[in-house]
Amino acid sequence: MSLKRLNPGPRMSQAVCIGDIAFLAGQVPNDLTGDINAQTREVLDKIDAVMAELGGSKADIASVQVWLSDMADFQGMNAVWDAWVDPEHPPARATGGVPLARPGMRVEMIVTARAPT
């Protein structure tokens, strides 16, 4: 089975594919000044971009782990998520509250998906 790295860097790759299964790196917002709505939109846009680079879309996402720095943001994150998610192909999802890597970071998402190409 082949292993392919998407945009590898010195610390990590944007995604690693084993066969047609893709493991995306944690997607985080660049703008840490935004509220949970803005940060969630930015993260979901990044997921869309990586999936497109892999030749897929959100319909190919199997599972998402959502990490929130404050569980009080759960409803706000869900509002943005619900507007984004493909209702015909919703992934499995888990959400937890954890300290995140940088101050101001409110959300991180980790995706496992099918990479069609």
Side-chain angles (χ1 to χ4, degrees), residues 6-108:
L6 178 67
N7 302 324
R11 178 170 291 157
M12 59 187 236
S13 297
Q14 190 66 34
V16 175
C17 298
I18 302 172
D20 67 348
I21 304 297
F23 300 90
L24 277 63
Q27 300 300 303
V28 298
N30 293 329
D31 181 0
L32 303 183
T33 64
D35 64 9
I36 189 60
N37 296 338
Q39 289 194 21
T40 300
R41 267 193 290 290
E42 184 180 351
V43 168
L44 294 172
D45 288 347
K46 287 181 166 190
I47 291 170
D48 284 337
V50 174
M51 289 304 301
E53 197 167 348
L54 293 170
S57 71
K58 61 183 138 192
D60 296 299
I61 296 173
S63 175
V64 179
Q65 292 178 39
V66 179
W67 294 351
L68 298 174
S69 63
D70 185 343
M71 287 303 292
D73 285 337
F74 186 67
Q75 285 185 319
M77 181 277 299
N78 269 335
V80 177
W81 173 276
D82 290 346
W84 171 83
V85 74
D86 181 342
E88 299 290 317
H89 305 98
R93 193 187 92 178
T95 304
V98 299
L100 294 175
R102 296 184 316 222
M105 186 182 298
R106 302 176 77 98
V107 62
E108 180 169 359

